[in-house]
Amino acid sequence: MFKVIGRGTNPIDWKQVMKNWPKGLAVFISQKTLFKTRPVIGAIHAGVAWGFTLYLLVNIIDIFYGMIPGFHFFPNHFIGDFYRFFVDVFTIIVLVGIVLFIVRRFIQKDKLLVTNEPVLISDKAKIGIKRDSLIVGMFILFHIGFRFIGASFEVAINGPDWSQPGATLVASLWDGLSPNALIFGEHVSWWMALGLILLFIPYFPYSKHAHLFMGPLNYMAQESRRSLTTLEVMDLEDEQLEQFGASKLEHLPQKELLDGYACIMCNRCQDICPAYQTGKELSPSAIEINKRYYFNENMKEFSNGAESADPLSQWMLSEEAAWSCTTCGFCIDACPVGNEPMIDILRVRQNLVLMESNFPRDAMEVFDKIENYGNPWGMSPQDREKWTDGMDVPKMRDKGKAEYLYWAGCSGAYDDRGKDISRSVAKIMNEAGVDYAILGNEESCTGDSARRIGNEYLFQMQATQNLETFEKYGVKKIITQCPHCLTTLKNDYGEIGADLEVTHHSEFISQLIKEKKINPDNTIDEDITFHDACYVGRHHGEYDAPREVLQSVLSKDANIVEMERNKEQSFCCGAGGGNMWYEIKSGKRINVERFEEAIDTGVKKVATSCNFCMIMMEDARKVTGQDESMEVFDIAELVAERL
């Protein structure tokens, strides 16, 4: 298994991994990652995991008990009583939990455990996952069960034991059996409980339950990323590099091969995956599951250095699946074992773009427009500052230097609704007396969409141009209303070496309100709902600031009515990862799915904090026939109108 992992690129620093043992141990013992989503199921799973972990100690003590005549673990001592009570309670917890899981998968047939068509998933996995679950479930049930029955026979032999209430209760079933029968029952139970371990061990590494040790190890091996989507910068001038991105399994970094072994196959990552939930070919879970089954089928050849036979797009994920990802980050955030299927997707995209020139036609047009015009709309660079007409918005070329650069972004300069947001932010900063300026026509696309789609060359070209402009004016602090620009300027440029303090407008406006530099009127007297932008929330970790800004303009009779999926569980608008510029035809439109949640709240106003989200929500408002009855605003617009 470790030879398979070793076939990857970007070698794992195992010495550093071992130094992270407290992190892995904390995850293993606390099981805290199971509670991110599905808290009830997570609690049951944690109980089973804790009990199963306890049994590592129990089995050792049981071996001593069976092999050493007269051995007992602290008999007639509070330590022994505490140990037996603890084991008795967790035995019951594990047995109940396993029965519930077996019922859930095989009788209830929970849909959350299934990956639906048209997702590409190994035929062997479709059978193997259920087989694994049944074998492992039965092993735990019988292993723990026989140990529990053995304890009950021991109680029946020696008399009731207050420290083993469960075993004492079961022992009443053996009333009337002879002493020899009780001893025989205890011996059979002991051999069955421990013999099942020997039977199971050879199968264990090939099953999904290798995650018991690979999961904590995966957390210990996690790379320190500036953000969920930030990749290492390619050296495009290195003539020795023959591969950009990932076409074959061995092109993936070692950490991403480890992901395949760590995967629990719980499907949590597809619970709110916008592509999967709207019927497209992508399931983040299927990516890791396919890896694992490919490993098992080709382990000997691949671990010994043979080149993998098939491109990733033929067995790991389809090309449509790769383009369906909106980079919302939910799959990474929700994974209990630290897997990063979204990173696999970004690497596959890099290969499709840079090596195969195989990508959506609309994406080609976007690349051309960014390269030739400095924006994905393909509009004149000389029109970039037209949104300021009639306003007092200082320009860097006139001012020379300012504390803050206000970065309007391409959407904020060219899209009609984006311009409204830009004017609102400028009005707020003017009111607050902020020392700021814009680049105006000197501003150019950050390269966000280019990088997310996979065009690393174009991204680096844009980054170099913008960083030269920043150096020209000594720019260190930036304010932007575009979360995609926020992530790119702060994190992707940071990976290149830039040291920029980048703030989202929701955080900046919230701070201005707290410092009483602006005092908007709280005159909105009807309820409003808020859509969390993925690149503000999940990618940037900010959920409170936009709500604080909203609250500042609501009257005491109005409330923020949350959509069913909100904050950490928020559903994407569908524009991220370059999907703003091309459309995946299969399934339901993601923005429509999201806007229907807004409709379900019963409110008539929807607030956003992202230019792209604004565009997608406005489009969905019209598609769903709500263009006359509902309105969409950016939080900056609501504040600016009430100054």
Side-chain angles (χ1 to χ4, degrees), residues 447-569:
D448 163 77
S449 292
R451 191 168 214 211
R452 308 307 166 221
I453 293 173
N455 193 335
E456 181 74 7
Y457 175 82
L458 181 55
F459 159 72
Q460 290 192 24
M461 185 181 77
Q462 290 300 120
T464 300
Q465 178 181 337
N466 285 319
L467 288 172
E468 288 174 356
T469 306
F470 294 164
E471 186 176 356
K472 174 181 174 182
Y473 293 112
V475 172
K476 292 296 179 183
K477 297 180 181 180
I478 301 175
I479 301 163
T480 181
Q481 77 268 31
C482 177
H484 298 267
C485 293
L486 167 77
T487 296
T488 307
L489 294 169
K490 180 178 180 179
N491 300 311
D492 294 83
Y493 284 21
E495 198 70 25
I496 294 174
D499 183 19
L500 300 169
E501 182 183 318
V502 191
T503 306
H504 188 247
H505 78 316
S506 64
E507 297 168 300
F508 194 75
I509 296 170
S510 176
Q511 192 60 33
L512 292 178
I513 294 170
K514 288 176 182 176
E515 294 174 357
K516 300 192 182 304
K517 292 183 178 179
I518 57 171
N519 186 29
D521 296 329
N522 54 340
T523 56
I524 297 179
D525 55 7
E526 58 181 308
D527 292 345
I528 192 167
T529 191
F530 179 71
H531 164 73
D532 285 284
C534 300
Y535 276 65
V536 176
R538 222 168 274 126
H539 287 251
H540 188 56
E542 184 58 73
Y543 298 99
D544 295 332
R547 287 172 171 81
E548 290 168 355
V549 173
L550 262 185
Q551 201 65 55
S552 73
V553 294
L554 296 182
S555 71
K556 61 180 181 179
D557 297 321
N559 297 294
I560 299 173
V561 180
E562 298 287 1
M563 297 187 214
E564 182 179 352
R565 294 177 283 197
N566 61 80
K567 296 185 178 179
E568 291 86 354
Q569 304 290 317

Side-chain angles (χ1 to χ4, degrees), residues 31-97:
Q31 297 291 316
K32 62 182 180 180
T33 56
L34 290 171
F35 297 91
K36 290 181 180 179
T37 61
R38 306 182 190 171
V40 175
I41 294 296
I44 298 171
H45 195 148
V48 171
W50 287 325
F52 200 68
T53 303
L54 173 64
Y55 261 72
L56 296 175
L57 171 64
V58 171
N59 290 326
I60 293 172
I61 292 175
D62 282 355
I63 290 171
F64 291 157
Y65 174 63
M67 295 296 182
I68 302 175
F71 175 86
H72 287 279
F73 186 74
F74 287 96
N76 304 315
H77 193 283
F78 79 92
I79 293 177
D81 290 338
F82 179 77
Y83 162 76
R84 283 181 286 276
F85 180 77
F86 211 62
V87 172
D88 190 81
V89 170
F90 267 96
T91 294
I92 295 170
I93 290 173
V94 172
L95 290 174
V96 171

Side-chain angles (χ1 to χ4, degrees), residues 135-311:
I135 292 174
V136 174
M138 289 296 105
F139 160 70
I140 296 174
L141 186 64
F142 285 113
H143 167 57
I144 306 293
F146 273 113
R147 201 274 173 194
F148 186 51
I149 291 171
S152 74
F153 278 119
E154 185 188 7
V155 169
I157 294 168
N158 298 317
D161 183 357
W162 69 265
S163 68
Q164 300 183 80
T168 299
L169 182 64
V170 175
S172 63
L173 297 174
W174 317 133
D175 290 345
L177 292 181
S178 67
N180 284 341
L182 293 175
I183 292 171
F184 179 78
E186 183 187 9
H187 278 242
V188 169
S189 298
W190 185 92
W191 278 106
M192 289 298 293
L194 294 175
L196 281 167
I197 297 176
L198 298 180
L199 188 66
F200 182 67
I201 282 175
Y203 176 78
F204 178 74
Y206 291 92
S207 77
K208 67 177 182 178
H209 288 75
H211 74 261
L212 283 170
F213 56 88
M214 286 297 194
L217 191 65
N218 205 34
Y219 260 99
M220 293 159 62
Q222 273 186 327
E223 294 183 37
S224 179
R225 299 187 188 282
R226 291 175 180 267
S227 77
L228 296 178
T229 55
T230 303
L231 302 177
E232 66 281 358
V233 178
M234 288 183 183
D235 185 356
L236 297 169
E237 296 181 359
D238 185 351
E239 295 181 357
Q240 294 183 335
L241 278 178
E242 297 180 353
Q243 175 67 39
F244 297 114
S247 171
K248 299 284 189 72
L249 186 60
E250 55 269 28
H251 299 154
L252 291 173
Q254 291 183 5
K255 163 63 175 69
E256 285 156 48
L257 298 187
L258 174 57
D259 285 354
Y261 279 125
C263 182
I264 300 179
M265 305 186 190
C266 63
N267 291 350
R268 278 176 170 84
C269 55
Q270 69 183 27
D271 283 355
I272 304 181
C273 171
Y276 179 79
Q277 292 297 327
T278 53
K280 295 168 180 60
E281 293 185 12
L282 172 63
S283 164
S285 178
I287 292 173
E288 305 303 345
I289 291 170
N290 287 337
K291 274 189 213 171
R292 182 61 187 273
Y293 277 85
Y294 191 92
F295 291 161
N296 285 349
E297 290 176 47
N298 302 278
M299 185 178 290
K300 185 176 181 180
E301 299 82 2
F302 187 72
S303 64
N304 287 329
E307 183 179 346
S308 57
D310 304 312

